[in-house]
Amino acid sequence: MKELFINILRPFSFLPAILIMYAIFTLSGQPGETSADLSYKVSYKIVEMKSRLANEYKDEYQLAYEAERIHGKVRKLAHMTEYFCLAIAVSFPFYVYGLRGIPLMLVAGVICVGFAGLDEYHQSFVAGRGPSKRDVAIDSVGIFFGILAVRIFCWIFLLLLPKKRRRR
C-alpha cells in the first residue's frame, strides 16, 4: 500500500516546477512597459528601504534617480532568481529519485535552459519585448547555482543520515 501511495504521488513532485514555469511564462507575457514598470517599482522600494535603514532621508527625486541607476541590475537579478528557483524545483525531485552527479546537472540543466530559450522566443510575440541571448545566459547562471544548491544540500543531508538508513 505504501509503495502504491508513493507511486501515485511521485508525478506530483514536479508540480512546484510546473507552477514556477507558469509564473515565469505569465511574467514574460506582460507587455514591455508593464514589465519595466513592475521592476522599476521593485527598484524604487529597494532604494527607499536602503534610505530608511541608513537614515539618509532622501527626497523623491533622489530616490527616483537611484532607482533608475539600479533598475537594470534588479531586472537581471530577477531573471537569475526565478531560474534559480526553477532549477531547484526541477533538480530536487530528480535527485530524490536517484539521478545524481553530472547526469542530474545535464538533465535539469537542459530542461531549465531549454525553457529559458523557449521563454525568450515567447517574448518575441509580446508587445515591447524581444528575445535575448544575454537573458538566457543570465538565466543559465541562476540555473547552475540552483542545481549546485540542490546537490550541496542533498550531499550534506546524506552525510547526516545514519549509515543504516542510507543503504535503503
Side-chain angles (χ1 to χ4, degrees), residues 28-97:
S28 293
Q30 294 178 330
E33 191 175 309
T34 305
S35 176
D37 286 346
L38 177 63
S39 59
Y40 178 78
K41 286 177 185 174
V42 171
S43 301
Y44 191 88
K45 285 290 183 189
I46 291 169
V47 170
E48 189 177 42
M49 190 179 304
K50 176 194 163 257
S51 177
R52 282 185 190 163
L53 290 173
N55 292 324
E56 294 174 339
Y57 307 107
K58 295 183 178 182
D59 65 21
E60 279 184 46
Y61 299 107
Q62 291 171 316
L63 292 173
Y65 174 75
E66 285 187 29
E68 192 59 46
R69 284 185 48 215
I70 68 166
H71 183 227
K73 293 177 180 101
V74 167
R75 287 183 71 83
K76 299 313 170 193
L77 186 61
H79 266 268
M80 278 194 288
T81 303
E82 64 190 9
Y83 279 91
F84 175 84
C85 294
L86 177 63
I88 289 172
V90 168
S91 300
F92 192 69
F94 281 134
Y95 193 95
V96 169
Y97 299 131

Side-chain angles (χ1 to χ4, degrees), residues 110-151:
V110 165
I111 290 170
C112 294
V113 173
F115 182 76
L118 287 173
D119 186 52
E120 288 300 318
Y121 177 69
H122 161 248
Q123 287 182 23
S124 67
F125 300 104
V126 177
R129 311 241 357 217
S132 169
K133 292 177 186 173
R134 183 173 178 225
D135 281 351
V136 174
I138 290 168
D139 298 342
S140 297
V141 171
I143 291 165
F144 173 76
F145 284 109
I147 295 169
L148 192 62
V150 168
R151 291 192 63 198

Side-chain angles (χ1 to χ4, degrees), residues 92-106:
F92 192 69
F94 281 134
Y95 193 95
V96 169
Y97 299 131
L99 193 61
R100 305 249 174 15
I102 300 299
L104 171 69
M105 294 188 84
L106 289 174

